[in-house]
Amino acid sequence: MADLPILMFSVLIMCGNLLVIISIIYFKQLHTPTNYLILSLAVADLLVGVVVLPFSMILSVSSYWQLENLLYRYYAVCQPLRYKTKINVRVVVIMILVSWTVSIGIGVTILGPKQGHNRRCALFQNTHSTITGAVFAFYLPAIIMSIIYLKILMVAWRQARSIQNTTKTGATVSKTERKATKTLAIVMGVFLICWTPFFLCITIHPLRNYTIPVPVIETFKWLGWSNSVFNPCVYAFFYSWFRSAFRMIITGKIFRGE
């Protein structure tokens, strides 16, 4: 019975992210550079449900996909006239490959075999590698994301003010900017809320001579994993095209030709 919650959580993660993956692959309208990044993130989250949860492993690299989406939103706001020429499928593919390579490297570094402390989880066997892994897997991307978001917020606010002062459509554009900025804030906020407690815990744990109770670490680990459930909602359910695609998949309309 103890395995039932893990199984249900795993199925929930897999179903949500499979909807995102199938939608982007099947519908040509969703074949855009930004959605390819969402596809990459959905694949990573799917692996959490397929591999990580069943085998009780630790996944600590999802921040890189969050950072990609934030960088492209930054380019779209701060360099709008050059966005479509600079951010193309080739650039997106390269960024995705770099993200997966860096993520795998960090994962191997954190979870690789260590000497000593045989009864402890490999994640905590070496204080230096644990803290270094946390810095590069979470803290550094989180700081960069926060700085970029503040820049986006400032530029979007200035653009909205400028448009309001020069055109009659200022209210509409301002509303669009606010919605996009709010969506980005939700994306970042959910990610940071889910993963910050766990990474703070694993950073402090070796420094306090492993005195943090295991149930506390496990609770924060589950909170981090829950980000893989929220991502399909945050990235997809905010957009009408994804909602329509989900309905077509769930109701089986994609098997009816047109």
Side-chain angles (χ1 to χ4, degrees):
M1 295 298 293
D3 294 334
L4 184 59
I6 297 178
L7 178 61
M8 294 177 61
F9 200 60
S10 179
V11 170
L12 188 61
I13 291 175
M14 288 188 287
C15 289
N17 287 285
L18 278 174
L19 280 175
V20 177
I21 293 170
I22 294 173
S23 297
I24 296 175
I25 293 176
Y26 184 84
F27 294 100
K28 293 182 179 180
Q29 294 89 335
L30 299 179
H31 291 182
T32 65
T34 301
N35 287 340
Y36 290 147
L37 294 175
I38 295 177
L39 175 63
S40 177
L41 177 60
V43 171
D45 288 331
L46 179 65
L47 291 177
V48 174
V50 175
V51 178
V52 178
L53 283 179
F55 294 97
S56 298
M57 295 171 61
I58 304 296
L59 183 69
S60 58
V61 295
S62 59
S63 55
Y64 284 94
W65 288 280
Q66 311 280 348
L67 182 57
E68 278 184 6
N69 284 278
L70 191 66
L71 286 173
Y72 286 118
R73 172 58 184 164
Y74 171 84
Y75 215 96
V77 172
C78 300
Q79 303 287 339
L81 300 180
R82 301 174 60 190
Y83 175 77
K84 289 188 177 181
T85 59
K86 294 295 184 180
I87 307 304
N88 50 44
V89 174
R90 178 175 173 272
V91 173
V92 169
V93 170
I94 292 174
M95 289 297 294
I96 290 174
L97 291 176
V98 170
S99 295
W100 279 92
T101 302
V102 172
S103 300
I104 292 173
I106 292 176
V108 170
T109 301
I110 296 177
L111 298 176
K114 305 290 191 303
Q115 299 295 326
H117 303 286
N118 294 327
R119 291 186 175 274
R120 288 199 182 115
C121 174
L123 181 64
F124 305 120
Q125 289 181 0
N126 185 288
T127 302
H128 177 74
S129 63
T130 299
I131 296 177
T132 301
V135 168
F136 284 98
F138 179 77
Y139 294 120
L140 186 59
I143 292 172
I144 295 175
M145 286 192 296
S146 299
I147 293 173
I148 293 176
Y149 176 72
L150 289 175
K151 175 66 174 179
I152 292 172
L153 192 63
M154 293 175 61
V155 172
W157 182 78
R158 287 200 300 266
Q159 289 177 350
R161 288 290 300 271
S162 177
I163 293 172
Q164 283 179 325
N165 293 334
T166 56
T167 71
K168 295 181 180 180
T169 60
T172 302
V173 177
S174 178
K175 183 178 179 180
T176 302
E177 290 289 350
R178 287 197 301 269
K179 181 180 178 181
T181 305
K182 181 180 178 180
T183 301
L184 187 59
I186 294 173
V187 170
M188 281 189 57
V190 170
F191 170 75
L192 293 175
I193 289 172
C194 289
W195 280 112
T196 298
F198 173 73
F199 278 97
L200 286 175
C201 196
I202 67 171
T203 302
I204 297 172
H205 190 46
L207 298 177
R208 293 179 59 87
N209 198 26
Y210 308 97
T211 56
I212 298 178
V214 173
V216 174
I217 298 176
E218 289 295 319
T219 300
F220 289 149
K221 182 173 65 176
W222 276 89
L223 178 62
W225 280 341
S226 68
N227 185 236
S228 297
V229 178
F230 298 139
N231 277 335
C233 302
V234 175
Y235 279 89
F237 282 82
F238 275 95
Y239 303 99
S240 59
W241 240 111
F242 274 104
R243 290 195 295 271
S244 299
F246 289 169
R247 284 195 295 267
M248 292 180 188
I249 294 172
I250 294 172
T251 58
K253 289 183 178 181
I254 60 173
F255 301 109
R256 303 175 188 173
E258 295 296 328

